Structure formats: structure tokens, C-alpha cells
Amino acid sequence: MIVRQSTYCREQMKEDLMKVFREVCSSYECRNNREAWRQVVTHEAPRFYIDSRRAHLYISPMLRGDTSKIDKLSPLKREMYQELFKTVMRIWQEDKYYGKSLNYVLQYAILEPAPRFYIDTKRMEQIWKEKRRIKRHD
């Protein structure tokens, strides 16, 4: 189940990245693709692209003040979990989530808009090339 869910998240992220890429290219003046990729990855994302079970592994210790797990992550992943933690804390204050378990709240928190796509420009370039290659073979 986790493998299927994380694969789904990755594929959904790729589709959303390409949608934002098209928006960025039509809305902004980009001198080249590299500039467009940079704008895409820093653009607000429709959601956090992680499954709730994996998120629980990092967010649960953070609720107890333990950041040792996220401290070992790359800066972008660490930033993603910090932002997701803020989102969890914010929505936990809403009446409909008050008193609910972390597992329950995370199912909704990961679907909230994220401040950015938590990948780097190089990964965006790889995804863009992959999508172009697939499109050419259709």
C-alpha cells in the first residue's frame, strides 16, 4: 500500500509540475528552460507530495520536540516536514479536527497547499525531459 501510495504521489507531482511549467512559460518571461524550472520548483504546490504514513514517521517525533530525524534530511526535505508540521498544527486547531489523532489529521494536512514543490531544479529538469520523451513517443 505504501509503495502504491508513494508512486501515486510521485506521478501526481510530475503532472502538477508540468502544469505549473506550462503556466510559468505562458505567464512569465523566461529566457530559458533553466529559469523556468527554477520558477516552477519555487511555485506554490497544490499539496504536499508525501503519503500520510511516511509523514507520520517524521511529524510524530516533532510533536514531542524531537527533530533528530528531520535534522538528518536534505535541506529541502527538512523544510517540507517543517512546513507540513506547521500545517498540521494549524488545521488541528479547527473544530472538525480538534481531538483527532495525528494519523487522521495527516490524511488532510498532506492535501493542503504547500509553499513550494520540494524538489531541486536538477530534478525538475529530469522530470521535464522524461515527460518530453514520453510525449514524443505517443
Side-chain angles (χ1 to χ4, degrees):
M1 176 82 166
I2 289 178
V3 172
R4 265 188 256 148
Q5 183 67 23
S6 63
T7 300
Y8 171 76
C9 283
R10 275 194 300 273
E11 290 307 311
Q12 185 179 14
M13 180 181 69
K14 289 176 184 180
E15 294 303 318
D16 290 344
L17 281 164
M18 294 308 293
K19 187 185 303 179
V20 171
F21 178 79
R22 287 186 293 277
E23 287 174 21
V24 162
C25 287
S26 66
S27 304
Y28 303 101
E29 290 186 24
C30 300
R31 291 183 304 245
N32 55 45
N33 281 339
R34 186 160 313 285
E35 193 175 301
W37 299 328
R38 194 174 310 110
Q39 288 181 19
V40 169
V41 299
T42 58
H43 191 279
E44 182 178 282
R47 61 165 290 182
F48 289 90
Y49 297 95
I50 183 166
D51 67 82
S52 60
R53 288 188 225 177
R54 182 173 303 275
H56 190 277
L57 296 172
Y58 292 94
I59 302 297
S60 181
M62 291 173 73
L63 288 171
R64 298 185 304 273
D66 179 3
T67 60
S68 60
K69 280 192 173 202
I70 68 163
D71 290 343
K72 297 173 186 172
L73 299 174
S74 70
L76 273 176
K77 289 254 193 234
R78 187 169 44 250
E79 182 184 338
M80 178 186 71
Y81 284 111
Q82 289 166 336
E83 289 298 329
L84 181 56
F85 180 79
K86 289 178 193 173
T87 301
V88 165
M89 298 311 287
R90 178 180 50 78
I91 70 171
W92 226 334
Q93 300 306 310
E94 296 175 20
D95 289 341
K96 64 183 176 182
Y97 298 108
Y98 186 78
K100 301 290 186 187
S101 70
L102 176 58
N103 283 331
Y104 183 85
V105 172
L106 275 170
Q107 291 175 48
Y108 297 95
I110 61 172
L111 300 176
E112 290 283 308
R116 62 167 290 160
F117 287 92
Y118 292 99
I119 62 168
D120 61 20
T121 306
K122 185 159 183 63
R123 180 68 183 125
M124 176 61 205
E125 177 183 4
Q126 292 168 343
I127 292 167
W128 180 80
K129 287 179 177 178
E130 171 192 321
K131 291 295 184 182
R132 269 190 67 210
R133 197 169 34 251
I134 291 169
K135 193 172 186 172
R136 283 184 181 162
H137 289 90
D138 281 346

